[in-house]
């Protein structure tokens, strides 16, 4: 063959080589080398390059009839077979990696996976002695033998494995990745088919190289996964990978690094300066952890996902990160200390879904974490709170909150004189969530005002219906959280709601807990004054549970004081408790406030309280908090109900 004819003959190989070189350069240039997937990709391309180059050499030497050319052609064939047989197994493995499944392949399944490949390689390696795969006849013509077909069969096997995995982990892939993989697997298969059936067209390697180019552009391209500022993976990538990991059921170690001063730094220094610190944290994380495990989840949080069940290793990494925050970080010329809270959990043991992890990344961690990595029990506590926040949002959307009423009895007349509105949350997932859990959660999540409005609206609606008046109720008690009533504009908000229902403010009594901190005191004083001027009344709730400065608490203008159930219960138990109750009652009386005692559960307690001559009683002895309709029925029937003997004694 002439030089030009040979060139023509090997043009598919030359194109393949050019494609491979382009892919290699671009991949290395983009720095896509860190992940196992990247490395396998590079190996595939290198492999194809060797095949292409050796095939070109073969094409040029086979046309010459010298012993040297003969020898080189033979060697070239041999080398290209050795490499080529490894191509589809590598490609199949690559598909596994992209599907995120190769992580949990056991050694045994890897060996099984490699068997067809090893078999063909042995057949090829034996060729110099056996001519099983190919040989040159006496006219120095290249001839294929049966061994060549084992290579194609093995190639088909790996293409099928690739397709199988693709279908199996279909859910774990983005649509773009699915389409790309389907297209390129088909392309490779078509190349093999043409090559078997129509030998003169040396197209197989070329379709492989095309597929590699396509993979580089579609799958290896991670630009839309990278966060520009930090160079780590972005939030989208995190959400996506998490879903992928959950779909494939793999075990991952999750570390959360929250830089707690990030939001204030953004405000004070500006985004550029704050980003410089973020970057230096990312740089540090990249030094101690694989770069592809780091995700920038939100303004102040990195999430690290480490494959496998090596919890000890993750714990050590988490501790190291936390300790690093004891030293300073360098931003743009500036060196400061940052504060961080570090959390650690195992996926899927501690997290039920990708959303759980995202939720943890986004939720504030108000508890002081000190020098401790939050994990295990801390985390389940944290996650319970996340669950509750989620239930709160569900309830807000579905309007499934309900207001219950617990009657309050006047000791003197034994009539229901008022009721306390208590919020109830029944969630479809968590069941009944007690207010002690969801009220603080609502405060953290910044939705306590919405809840407060809801309760107040329900209560106003009830009063506006005229039923409470008809029942002879003086008022309805509404609990207020400190956080809620010290918000700016709180008084106006309340007035707005009450006015819109046309309700007389004197029918509403607000209950505020005794444990008022000094900083809240002034704000609270203003709120109470403003609303009392409108006609609302106030009760000091939970008297006896806080350690407030009694003098300042009593200078707040409360109308009534509600003695906490704890005080009543301990009064029954010992003489010190009894003395505290007696003194509390006396002191409140001297302050000219009405006294309510909550938590009344037994006749014994009623007897005790009637001796002390308190004003109102509330407790399970009379009724638990009940839905509005039940409460109305109870209050309507009260006149007919014969009171227990003890009550008759007490009232006479
Ligand atoms: P609280 O204001 O001290 O409410 C009294 C709590 O004691 C209620 O619990 C009530 O069910 C319970 N209780 C009443 N009598 C007895 C009794 O005889 N024995 C026992 N063992 N318990 C009794 P609940 O409903 O779980 O509420 C807990 C706390 O949640 C309330 O304490 C209040 O601080 C808060 N809360 C409830 N609803 C609201 C609301 O609408 N807004 C705000 N800000 N807080 C609320
Ligand atoms: Ca209360
Ligand atoms: Ca209480």
């Amino acid at each position: 063959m002439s030089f030009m004819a040979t060139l023509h003959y090997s043009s598919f190989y030359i194109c393949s080589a050019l494609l491979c070189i382009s892919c290699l350069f671009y991949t290395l240039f983009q720095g896509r080398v860190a992940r196992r997937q990247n490395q396998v990709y590079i190996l595939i391309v290198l492999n194809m390059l060797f095949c292409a180059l050796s095939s070109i050499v073969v094409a040029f030497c086979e046309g010459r009839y010298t012993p040297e050319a003969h020898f080189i052609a033979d060697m070239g064939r041999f080398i290209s077979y050795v490499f080529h047989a490894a191509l589809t197994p590598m490609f199949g493995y690559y598909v596994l990696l992209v599907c995120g499944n190769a992580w949990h392949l056991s050694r045994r399944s890897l060996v099984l996976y490699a068997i067809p490949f090893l078999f063909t390689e042995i057949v090829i390696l034996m060729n110099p002695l056996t001519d099983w795969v190919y040989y040159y006849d006496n006219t120095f013509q290249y001839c294929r033998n049966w061994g060549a077909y084992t290579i194609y069969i093995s190639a088909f096997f790996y293409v099928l494995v690739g397709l199988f995995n693709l279908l199996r982990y279909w859910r774990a892939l983005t649509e773009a990745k699915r389409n790309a993989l389907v297209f390129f697997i088909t392309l490779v298969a078509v190349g093999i088919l043409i090559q078997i059936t129509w030998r003169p067209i040396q197209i197989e390697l070329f379709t492989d190289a095309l597929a590699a180019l396509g993979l580089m552009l579609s799958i290896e391209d991670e630009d839309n996964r990278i966060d520009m500022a930090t160079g780590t993976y972005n939030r989208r990538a995190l959400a996506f990978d998490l879903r992928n990991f959950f779909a494939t059921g793999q075990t991952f170690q999750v570390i959360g690094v929250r830089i707690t001063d990030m939001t204030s730094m953004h405000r004070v220094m500006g985004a550029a300066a704050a980003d410089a610190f973020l970057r230096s944290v990312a740089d540090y994380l990249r030094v101690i952890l694989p770069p592809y495990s780091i995700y920038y989840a939100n303004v102040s949080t990195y999430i690290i996902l480490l494959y496998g069940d090596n919890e000890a290793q993750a714990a050590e990494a988490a501790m190291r990160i936390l300790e690093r925050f004891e030293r300073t970080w360098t931003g743009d010329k500036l060196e400061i200390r940052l504060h961080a809270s570090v959390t650690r959990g195992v996926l899927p043991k501690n997290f039920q879904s990708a959303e759980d992890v995202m939720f943890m990344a986004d939720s504030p961690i108000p508890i002081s974490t000190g020098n401790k990595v939050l994990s295990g029990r801390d985390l389940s506590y944290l996650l319970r709170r996340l669950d509750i926040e989620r239930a709160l949002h569900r309830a807000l959307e579905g309007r499934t909150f309900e207001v219950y009423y617990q009657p309050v009895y006047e000791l003197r007349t034994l009539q229901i004189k008022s009721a306390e509105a208590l919020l109830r949350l029944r969630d479809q997932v968590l069941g009944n969530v007690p207010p002690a859990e969801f009220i603080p959660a609502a405060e953290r999540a910044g939705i306590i005002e919405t809840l407060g409005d809801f309760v107040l609206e329900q209560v106003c609606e009830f009063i506006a219906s005229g039923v409470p008046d008809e029942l002879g109720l003086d008022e309805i008690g509404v609990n207020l959280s400190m956080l809620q009533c010290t918000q700016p504009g709180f008084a106006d908000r309340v007035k707005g709601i009450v006015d819109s229902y046309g309700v007389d403010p004197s029918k509403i009594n607000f209950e505020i807990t005794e444990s008022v901190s000094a900083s809240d005191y002034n704000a609270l004083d203003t709120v109470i004054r403003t609303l009392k001027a409108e006609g609302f009344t106030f009760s000091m709730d939970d008297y006896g549970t806080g350690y407030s400065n009694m003098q300042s608490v009593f200078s707040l203008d409360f109308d009534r004081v509600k003695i906490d159930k704890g005080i009543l219960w301990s009064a029954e138990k010992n003489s010190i408790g009894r003395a505290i109750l007696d003194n509390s009652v006396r002191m409140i009386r001297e302050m000219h406030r009405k006294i309510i005692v909550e938590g009344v559960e037994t006749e014994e307690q009623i007897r005790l309280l009637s001796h002390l001559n308190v004003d109102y009683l509330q407790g399970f002895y009379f009724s638990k908090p009940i839905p509005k309709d039940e409460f109305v029925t109870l209050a309507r029937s009260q006149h007919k109900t014969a009171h227990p003997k003890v009550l008759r004694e007490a009232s006479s």
Side-chain angles (χ1 to χ4, degrees):
M1 261 199 287
S2 73
F3 178 78
M4 285 317 287
T6 314
L7 201 61
H8 191 213
Y9 173 78
S10 40
S11 49
F12 270 132
Y13 293 128
I14 296 171
C15 290
S16 307
L18 287 175
L19 277 177
C20 289
I21 291 169
S22 313
C23 290
L24 267 184
F25 264 100
Y26 191 74
T27 300
L28 297 176
F29 189 65
Q30 295 278 313
R32 295 175 191 162
V33 292
R35 303 200 299 164
R36 181 122 59 107
Q37 174 187 323
N38 306 140
Q39 293 152 5
V40 172
Y41 177 80
I42 292 172
L43 283 179
I44 291 176
V45 177
L46 272 176
N47 184 316
M48 287 195 292
L49 184 59
F50 278 125
C51 288
L53 292 179
S54 50
S55 300
I56 294 168
V57 170
V58 170
F60 276 94
C61 295
E62 275 180 356
R64 284 156 226 280
Y65 296 97
T66 61
E68 295 80 22
H70 188 157
F71 177 75
I72 294 174
D74 205 354
M75 281 298 290
R77 281 276 177 208
F78 184 67
I79 290 172
S80 98
Y81 268 113
V82 168
F83 277 104
H84 200 166
L87 203 53
T88 39
M90 284 162 93
F91 184 70
Y93 186 62
Y94 177 79
V95 174
L96 275 175
L97 284 171
V98 173
C99 293
N101 178 39
W103 296 114
H104 65 176
L105 276 189
S106 63
R107 182 155 297 181
R108 203 173 122 243
S109 37
L110 269 179
V111 169
L112 279 178
Y113 179 81
I115 284 177
F117 161 68
L118 292 175
F119 176 74
T120 49
E121 285 293 354
I122 290 169
V123 172
I124 295 167
L125 290 173
M126 299 285 283
N127 195 67
L129 305 174
T130 61
D131 289 351
W132 282 342
V133 180
Y134 70 93
Y135 56 89
Y136 289 96
D137 64 12
N138 346 346
T139 60
F140 195 48
Q141 280 297 310
Y142 161 73
C143 306
R144 278 195 238 180
N145 208 346
W146 61 267
Y149 296 97
T150 66
I151 300 174
Y152 287 120
I153 292 166
S154 135
F156 254 113
F157 167 78
Y158 289 110
V159 169
L160 283 180
V161 170
L163 271 177
F164 173 75
N165 276 293
L166 195 58
L167 293 179
R168 187 156 157 223
Y169 295 103
W170 195 246
R171 276 194 318 133
L173 294 169
T174 57
E175 201 175 335
K177 279 193 187 183
R178 287 175 194 167
N179 293 344
L181 282 174
V182 169
F183 181 74
F184 296 118
I185 290 178
T186 318
L187 195 64
V188 170
V190 168
I192 298 173
L193 273 178
I194 296 178
Q195 187 80 78
I196 299 177
T197 51
W198 206 2
R199 240 194 73 199
I201 301 204
Q202 307 284 326
I203 199 173
E204 189 204 336
L205 198 61
F206 182 68
T207 51
D208 290 351
L210 261 188
L213 178 75
L215 292 179
M216 181 184 82
L217 295 178
S218 58
I219 291 183
E220 289 290 290
D221 178 18
E222 297 216 295
D223 284 358
N224 58 2
R225 289 170 50 90
I226 303 279
D227 173 67
M228 300 284 268
T230 59
T232 56
Y233 283 145
N234 59 24
R235 187 182 171 86
R236 266 185 56 192
L238 173 64
F240 179 76
D241 290 353
L242 279 172
R243 255 183 291 129
N244 182 323
F245 298 151
F246 273 103
T248 53
Q250 301 165 80
T251 304
F252 267 77
Q253 308 293 318
V254 183
I255 302 175
V257 182
R258 159 77 50 88
I259 305 163
T260 44
D261 10 38
M262 216 56 220
T263 14
S264 56
M265 272 172 60
H266 259 268
R267 265 204 311 271
V268 177
M269 302 180 173
D275 279 354
F277 284 103
L278 260 186
R279 258 196 306 281
S280 66
V281 175
D283 289 343
Y284 169 75
L285 293 177
R286 267 192 289 265
V287 170
I288 67 163
L289 295 159
Y292 54 83
S293 65
I294 306 162
Y295 298 80
Y296 181 50
N298 62 43
V299 174
S300 48
T301 312
Y302 285 111
I303 294 285
I304 294 143
L305 299 179
L306 297 169
Y307 164 72
D309 47 16
N310 195 339
E311 235 188 291
Q313 194 186 356
E316 198 200 307
M319 203 58 219
R320 248 180 105 181
I321 295 168
L322 192 65
E323 279 164 9
R324 173 64 186 82
F325 278 88
E326 282 161 20
R327 288 179 283 126
T328 57
W329 300 87
T330 317
D332 266 343
K333 297 172 210 128
L334 211 62
E335 217 181 287
I336 56 170
R337 261 201 69 178
L338 298 173
H339 300 88
S341 56
V342 178
T343 45
R344 183 180 63 77
V346 184
L347 175 163
K349 192 171 85 187
N350 300 130
F351 304 95
Q352 266 75 57
S353 69
E355 283 68 38
D356 267 6
V357 182
M358 298 306 276
F359 215 85
M360 182 192 78
D362 294 340
S363 305
I365 306 174
I367 32 174
S368 137
T369 58
N371 297 340
K372 191 166 159 262
V373 173
L374 292 183
S375 64
R377 280 172 60 90
D378 311 326
L379 209 64
S380 55
Y381 164 65
L382 197 84
L383 286 171
R384 166 75 183 167
R385 293 196 337 203
L386 302 184
D387 281 343
I388 287 166
E389 274 179 39
R390 215 178 284 162
L392 276 176
H393 286 284
R394 272 197 294 270
L396 277 183
E397 274 164 26
R399 296 222 128 228
T400 52
F401 281 114
E402 212 185 326
V403 175
Y404 275 35
Y405 294 88
Q406 189 180 27
V408 176
Y409 287 76
E410 187 179 45
L411 183 73
R412 196 174 54 79
T413 60
L414 294 175
Q415 299 289 304
I416 298 179
K417 275 297 168 189
S418 65
E420 179 180 6
L422 292 157
L423 193 54
R424 291 293 177 263
L425 168 57
R426 184 197 297 276
D427 182 63
Q428 75 241 33
V429 181
L430 302 181
N432 285 328
V433 183
E437 263 193 307
F438 73 75
I439 296 287
E443 291 184 336
R444 279 191 309 270
I447 52 174
I448 186 68
E449 291 185 277
T450 320
L451 287 200
D453 288 356
F454 173 76
V455 176
L456 189 58
E457 281 165 8
Q458 294 286 305
V459 167
C460 285
E461 202 180 293
F462 185 32
I463 297 174
S465 74
V467 176
D469 270 343
E470 182 198 309
L471 295 172
L473 304 189
D474 293 339
E475 63 198 20
I476 305 283
V478 174
N479 289 286
L480 294 179
S481 117
M482 263 317 287
L483 205 87
Q484 176 190 1
C485 59
T486 50
Q487 292 297 316
F490 172 74
D492 290 335
R493 207 170 161 138
V494 166
K495 269 187 274 174
I497 294 175
V498 173
D499 284 351
S500 73
Y501 283 87
V503 163
D504 175 4
S506 73
K507 298 283 174 193
I508 293 175
N509 177 269
F510 288 120
E511 303 188 1
I512 301 175
T513 178
E514 177 224 283
S515 43
V516 174
S517 76
S519 58
D520 295 328
Y521 178 81
N522 284 333
L524 190 58
D525 189 44
T526 316
V527 166
I528 293 179
R529 273 174 209 283
T530 318
L531 287 176
K532 281 199 70 160
E534 297 288 323
F536 295 95
T537 57
F538 281 84
S539 295
M540 179 194 292
D541 206 350
D542 297 336
Y543 178 87
T545 51
Y547 301 91
S548 327
N549 175 338
M550 279 303 141
Q551 199 187 344
S552 62
V553 167
F554 275 106
S555 59
L556 290 167
D557 200 4
F558 284 108
D559 304 275
R560 311 183 223 309
V561 175
K562 224 170 164 172
I563 295 179
D564 192 72
K565 43 187 175 276
I567 304 266
L568 171 65
W569 295 345
S570 56
E572 278 189 305
K573 283 195 204 118
N574 52 50
S575 56
I576 299 178
R578 179 62 204 261
I580 293 176
L581 178 64
D582 290 355
N583 279 304
S584 299
V585 171
R586 191 163 355 99
M587 190 160 87
I588 301 166
R589 180 103 327 122
E590 274 165 24
M591 302 286 178
H592 305 292
R593 263 78 166 194
K594 295 255 180 188
I595 303 170
I596 308 164
V597 181
E598 63 170 23
V600 178
E601 292 184 343
T602 62
E603 294 193 358
E604 201 47 51
Q605 291 166 342
I606 300 175
R607 218 168 270 131
L608 169 67
L609 292 168
S610 60
H611 284 307
L612 287 173
N613 204 19
V614 301
D615 300 290
Y616 302 101
L617 306 175
Q618 178 187 11
F620 290 180
Y621 178 82
F622 303 100
S623 168
K624 289 193 171 183
I626 43 179
K628 186 176 76 183
D629 293 344
E630 268 178 57
F631 169 75
V632 172
T633 314
L634 175 79
R636 283 220 168 102
S637 67
Q638 69 173 350
H639 307 283
K640 294 170 226 144
T641 318
H643 284 291
K645 196 165 142 268
V646 57
L647 280 183
R648 284 196 302 274
E649 280 167 14
S651 61
S652 60

